[in-house]
Amino acid sequence: MISVFGSANMDLVAYVPEAPKRGETVTGHRFRTVPGGKGANQAIAAARAGAGVAFLGAVGDDGFGAEMRATMSEAGIDVRGLRQVPGPSGIAHIVVDDDGGNSIIVVPGANGTITGPSGEDLAAIAASRALLLQLELPMVAVVAAAQAAMVSGVPVFLTPAPVQPLPQELLDAVTTIVPNEHEAAAITGVTGPDAALEALLELVEEAVITLGSEGALYGSRSGERLRVPAVQVKAVDTTAAGDTFVGALAVARSEGMDMERALGFASTAAALSVQREGASTSMPSRRQIEDNLTT
């Protein structure tokens, strides 16, 4: 079982030829709502990649909350740890341009009410093979969950997004940090992925920097270094690429795959996701990932 302690948002997605600049109004092609949030996305990605998944988080008592609970349940995720709180659920306003790029505004809603893992959450984390964390919940809650996993010997995968200062007590509990190139630079103050990787390894045991169409870069304090090329595809919507990558990576590692094969597995999953629109709706199944692996 993999546990995900994180956010659940309803994605409000507008598709446009080009994202508007400040003060500009543009006409979009269309609009859709898609259950998302980095936590829920990673949970769905991991479930579709073949893992049993428990989701730990919160939604509001609105229609969005009910829809997100149903979506995760239909994906086979254990949602007993998805609490309902009064008020609105979290939302993410996403603009997707014709090149597949995106910009996102997140309004936390119910996610912001979580101050730490409950007793039931702690039991789920302790029984897990991995814990996935992101930064769309209050930092105090993320730190508490990471420390609980560390005490239980559970590997912690951290997606440091949205990027913000990382407390030492969180870094001490993280097994693998998985930023994109921009997040890695913001965290370390170092430009260039190779240099940023070395800086990250001064903070955590191992790091994976995702580089979009350039693949992924991995390093560990043991001295191992890997660069895995991306699967070259035509991107339609990159919204879920990072979350799909992390979910699939955690599944692969929890199954005992070596890091090189795990990175290939995760990169293939991410490449499949960007060829479809939406976040949770774009994530591939285990069979689809395995059918498209190149090695």
Side-chain angles (χ1 to χ4, degrees):
M1 177 75 73
I2 288 175
S3 289
V4 181
F5 184 73
S7 59
N9 294 324
M10 183 61 73
D11 292 346
L12 313 177
V13 190
Y15 296 89
V16 298
E18 185 175 349
K21 302 175 180 63
R22 183 175 182 179
E24 181 182 16
T25 299
V26 300
T27 300
H29 303 313
R30 61 196 178 90
F31 171 82
R32 64 190 304 211
T33 59
V34 184
K38 297 193 73 63
N41 286 345
Q42 291 181 7
I44 291 172
R48 290 188 178 160
V53 177
F55 184 79
L56 315 172
V59 292
D61 55 3
D62 53 7
F64 286 163
E67 186 174 349
M68 286 187 284
R69 182 183 298 276
T71 296
M72 283 190 271
S73 183
E74 288 166 5
I77 295 167
D78 181 346
V79 294
R80 286 176 294 177
L82 178 59
R83 63 196 79 167
Q84 179 179 295
V85 299
S89 298
I91 65 98
H93 181 271
I94 303 173
V95 176
V96 180
D97 64 35
D98 282 353
D99 291 328
N102 65 76
S103 57
I104 305 173
I105 300 171
V106 174
V107 181
N111 300 301
T113 69
I114 299 178
T115 57
S118 67
E120 291 79 7
D121 293 342
L122 293 173
I125 290 169
S128 300
R129 299 176 69 178
L131 173 66
L132 274 59
L133 297 172
Q134 323 76 36
L135 300 179
E136 289 182 343
L137 298 183
M139 182 63 76
V140 64
V142 176
V143 171
Q147 291 178 324
M150 179 177 64
V151 168
S152 297
V154 176
V156 176
F157 291 78
L158 173 66
T159 302
V163 70
Q164 56 189 283
L166 302 177
Q168 189 61 48
E169 57 264 37
L170 175 59
L171 293 168
D172 289 344
V174 169
T175 308
T176 308
I177 193 168
V178 192
N180 62 29
E181 185 173 359
H182 304 293
E183 292 156 358
I187 291 165
T188 63
V190 176
T191 57
D194 291 282
L197 180 69
E198 300 307 318
L200 284 171
L201 292 175
E202 296 179 7
L203 304 175
V204 295
E205 288 294 325
E206 62 179 12
V208 179
I209 301 178
T210 58
L211 304 172
S213 62
E214 299 300 315
L217 188 63
Y218 167 78
S220 71
R221 286 182 175 173
S222 68
E224 186 177 9
R225 300 291 184 273
L226 294 169
R227 184 181 290 271
V228 176
V231 180
Q232 297 303 311
V233 297
K234 169 61 177 174
V236 173
D237 183 352
T238 61
T239 303
D243 293 331
T244 301
F245 182 96
V246 174
L249 178 66
V251 172
R253 293 294 280 164
S254 72
E255 293 179 358
M257 290 189 201
D258 63 56
M259 184 55 80
E260 185 169 13
R261 181 158 177 79
L263 290 170
F265 183 87
S267 294
T268 299
L272 290 169
S273 77
V274 303
Q275 296 176 72
R276 311 169 190 168
E277 292 181 346
S280 60
T281 53
S282 72
M283 295 167 175
S285 67
R286 178 64 174 247
R287 169 168 282 187
Q288 289 169 331
I289 298 170
E290 291 180 338
D291 286 348
N292 285 275
L293 281 171
T294 56
T295 58

